[in-house]
Amino acid sequence: MLVGASPAVAQPDLGPDYVQTQFGPMGPAGRDLLQKVALAGLWEGPAGRMGLEKSANLRVREAGRHLIEGHADLDRRTVELARTLNVQLPTQPNEAQQGWLNEMTAAPARSTEFDKIFANRLRAAHGVVYKFLAQVRTGTRNTAIRDYAKVCMDTVLDHMTVLEATGMVDFNDTEAIPLALVAQPSSAAPTPPRAAPKVAPQNAPQRQEEGGVSDGLIGFAVMMALGIGIWLWSRGRSSRRMHP
């Protein structure tokens, strides 16, 4: 029986902050991901409802619908996975998130002021969350967290797209929406040294050409002289035969 048994695979010791689950090791990043997505839903869902109710801008209202629907789905997934992985979730938005909701509440309904606060606060927050999701998705060994992060990234990207489509996002606010580093010109890469061109000796082609012409003329003259000599020799023999 022991001979036929497959060898046990040793689990890597990742430290006291990790626990082994049926989906792979679960660490601080996975727990942080679930908690951050739950926090996002606690303020972005209500913000979406305000966008739908307070804005006269059709594109802002459309963004509000996407926020409501997207976070309803994410909230359900987050609660289920947190229960499976034994992660405690927050139940109230944090201080900054509550402050953004207060700004939207205070802005007049059907006003450009509300639309700008809505679009810019939400777009900036989604940009931060998207970057965090990508980092966790890249590094986690837990397959359930990987799949969950992918769904979250798709939802957040959809929300960023509809928020940008409102035309209200101020991309000049580089503190809230930093410039992408990949858009900056990179330092010039060193140019590989090129082989020095071979410089032909001055007048070399002319000399070759002149030499070629001279050799041809000399050869032609020799052939002519040889032909004339053979012709004269033949005529001399013929004359001697006719006049013995």
Side-chain angles (χ1 to χ4, degrees):
M1 291 176 63
L2 291 176
V3 171
S6 55
V9 178
Q11 295 292 338
D13 183 11
L14 299 175
D17 292 332
Y18 285 80
V19 295
Q20 289 298 333
T21 73
Q22 58 183 312
F23 308 106
M26 176 72 175
R31 289 190 288 272
D32 198 21
L33 172 61
L34 287 164
Q35 291 166 350
K36 276 185 167 58
V37 174
L39 271 174
L42 289 171
W43 85 277
E44 290 175 17
R49 287 190 288 275
M50 274 198 274
L52 202 56
E53 295 165 2
K54 293 188 66 171
S55 180
N57 186 314
L58 293 179
R59 292 184 176 180
V60 172
R61 291 168 63 83
E62 179 67 13
R65 273 190 287 270
H66 279 246
L67 287 165
I68 294 168
E69 294 170 4
H71 280 287
D73 177 63
L74 283 186
D75 289 347
R76 177 184 57 80
R77 293 173 183 270
T78 303
V79 169
E80 290 179 359
L81 188 55
R83 186 182 299 117
T84 301
L85 297 174
N86 195 28
V87 175
Q88 196 74 25
L89 296 178
T91 57
Q92 297 292 330
N94 62 30
E95 185 178 352
Q97 293 166 339
Q98 188 59 56
W100 300 329
L101 287 173
N102 292 342
E103 282 186 90
M104 294 181 201
T105 302
R110 308 291 190 270
S111 68
T112 303
E113 179 187 350
F114 171 82
D115 294 342
K116 287 182 176 179
I117 293 172
F118 175 90
N120 284 281
R121 298 294 180 269
L122 285 162
R123 171 58 179 80
H126 277 78
V128 173
V129 171
Y130 191 81
K131 181 179 179 180
F132 172 71
L133 288 168
Q135 290 172 337
V136 176
R137 171 62 183 82
T138 301
T140 185
R141 302 185 185 187
N142 188 294
T143 57
I145 291 295
R146 260 202 308 268
D147 294 341
Y148 172 74
K150 170 65 166 58
V151 173
C152 292
M153 290 176 71
D154 291 341
T155 303
V156 172
L157 184 57
D158 171 71
H159 292 176
M160 290 170 67
T161 303
V162 293
L163 288 165
E164 291 161 358
T166 64
M168 297 287 180
V169 177
D170 181 12
F171 286 98
N172 291 321
D173 183 4
T174 55
E175 183 176 349
I177 304 176
L179 291 173
L181 294 179
V182 293
Q184 305 300 320
S186 59
S187 57
T191 305
R194 292 182 299 174
K198 294 181 179 179
V199 180
Q202 194 172 3
N203 300 329
Q206 182 179 356
R207 290 174 184 171
Q208 291 176 0
E209 184 179 351
E210 291 173 354
V213 173
S214 300
D215 291 345
L217 288 174
I218 293 171
F220 179 75
V222 170
M223 292 296 294
M224 285 292 293
L226 182 60
I228 293 171
I230 293 173
W231 181 74
L232 290 175
W233 178 74
S234 299
R235 284 185 60 82
R237 290 190 60 183
S238 298
S239 298
R240 284 194 297 271
R241 288 174 185 167
M242 293 177 63
H243 306 287

